Amino acid sequence: SIQVAVIGGHSSGDSSGLGSLLKQNNYAFTTINSLLTEEIPDNTQIVVVNAPTQDFDPSEISKLEQFLDNDGSLGKDLLYVASVNQPSLPNLEDFLAEWGFEFASEAVYSTTQGMYYQYPTYIFGQATNSDYTQFMKLDSSRYIYPVPYRVCELLYEESGRRTTETILQSDSGAVGMPIEADISTWDPATATSEGPFPLIAMTTEFNLLGTTQQQVESHVVVIASDYFLY
């Protein structure tokens, strides 16, 4: 079975629902209580960082980097889940920026009627033209369940051996609303960031191994809402 490790501590979000889902689908699920004192087991395939509200120590960031690099063999995956309730996390945000993701202190706010449910921050996600959505066959009347998302932007399409892609995105009429703003009085005309915003995105890093030049990959996937794991 595939080994999944959730990084604990950091006042992270509740991952019990994710754990139940993974176990039902024959994944092995464990929690690393403290990355400061524990190592990521060698057989771990996927590491999950779920909506932390306390920053990571540089030594913890180094362990995440080493996990994904896997001594150059790659073949590892990291899932990062963001939340509109997070404060600034400089060390973790610098790590994510290297993988092409920048999170603003804003919530995605749709100005397009029909693209949100009840509140403009409960966004319907739209699938992109991606290998990961090719079987969804979504049309204009079928969207992903509406939840609040944090504004995310991709910093590059390609950088060295890394490429980014958007899997789920907001509508183009979405803007960024400051998280501290009062939704009942905030004027979207004052927004400084405009969509579409990636709601689920992935960066792939590749390497070529040995004389056969076998291609191997590691991935960082970000989900801009912790509601996905409830």
Side-chain angles (χ1 to χ4, degrees):
S1 60
I2 296 176
Q3 305 291 317
V4 180
V6 173
I7 306 302
H10 302 281
S11 296
S12 299
D14 183 3
S15 299
S16 58
L18 173 65
S20 297
L21 178 63
L22 291 173
K23 290 176 181 178
Q24 291 171 17
N25 288 276
N26 202 33
Y27 286 71
F29 176 86
T30 188
T31 298
I32 298 175
N33 294 314
S34 173
L35 204 54
L36 286 171
T37 57
E38 300 177 49
E39 303 299 323
I40 300 173
D42 291 339
N43 64 347
T44 301
Q45 175 64 46
I46 303 171
V47 161
V48 179
V49 178
N50 181 17
T53 56
Q54 296 176 354
D55 204 5
F56 277 53
D57 184 84
S59 66
E60 296 177 284
I61 297 295
S62 179
K63 288 182 180 181
L64 295 179
E65 292 172 338
Q66 292 170 14
F67 165 75
L68 288 165
D69 181 67
N70 194 23
D71 293 325
S73 296
L74 306 185
K76 303 292 187 178
D77 302 303
L78 185 146
L79 173 63
Y80 175 74
V81 183
S83 169
V84 294
N85 298 314
Q86 292 172 294
S88 175
L89 306 169
N91 293 335
L92 187 56
E93 289 164 3
D94 285 348
F95 164 76
L96 292 168
E98 292 181 1
W99 284 85
F101 309 108
E102 182 175 68
F103 285 92
S105 297
E106 297 176 327
V108 180
Y109 179 111
S110 180
T111 62
T112 307
Q113 198 68 33
M115 292 308 301
Y116 60 88
Y117 178 72
Q118 291 188 336
Y119 302 100
T121 53
Y122 277 70
I123 304 298
F124 287 112
Q126 295 179 294
T128 63
N129 184 21
S130 163
D131 290 344
Y132 298 94
T133 58
Q134 60 179 314
F135 300 111
M136 297 176 71
K137 298 181 179 178
L138 298 186
D139 58 32
S140 60
S141 63
R142 297 169 62 195
Y143 305 107
I144 305 301
Y145 189 80
V147 295
Y149 294 90
R150 189 171 178 181
V151 167
C152 176
E153 296 188 13
L154 300 185
L155 297 176
Y156 54 78
E157 292 184 1
E158 184 174 345
S159 178
R161 295 184 288 115
R162 294 175 181 172
T163 57
T164 61
E165 66 174 299
T166 299
I167 298 171
L168 191 74
Q169 67 183 8
S170 72
D171 65 278
S172 58
V175 297
M177 182 188 77
I179 289 175
E180 68 276 8
D182 184 341
I183 191 172
S184 64
T185 59
W186 183 72
D187 181 3
T190 63
T192 58
S193 54
E194 300 178 349
F197 301 110
L199 307 178
I200 299 179
M202 181 176 73
T203 296
T204 300
E205 178 176 340
F206 76 91
N207 197 7
L208 302 174
L209 297 182
T211 57
T212 62
Q213 295 291 279
Q214 175 191 2
Q215 180 164 316
V216 290
E217 297 179 350
S218 281
H219 308 93
V220 172
V221 177
V222 299
I223 300 177
S225 177
D226 54 343
Y227 280 65
F228 264 84
L229 299 191
Y230 287 172

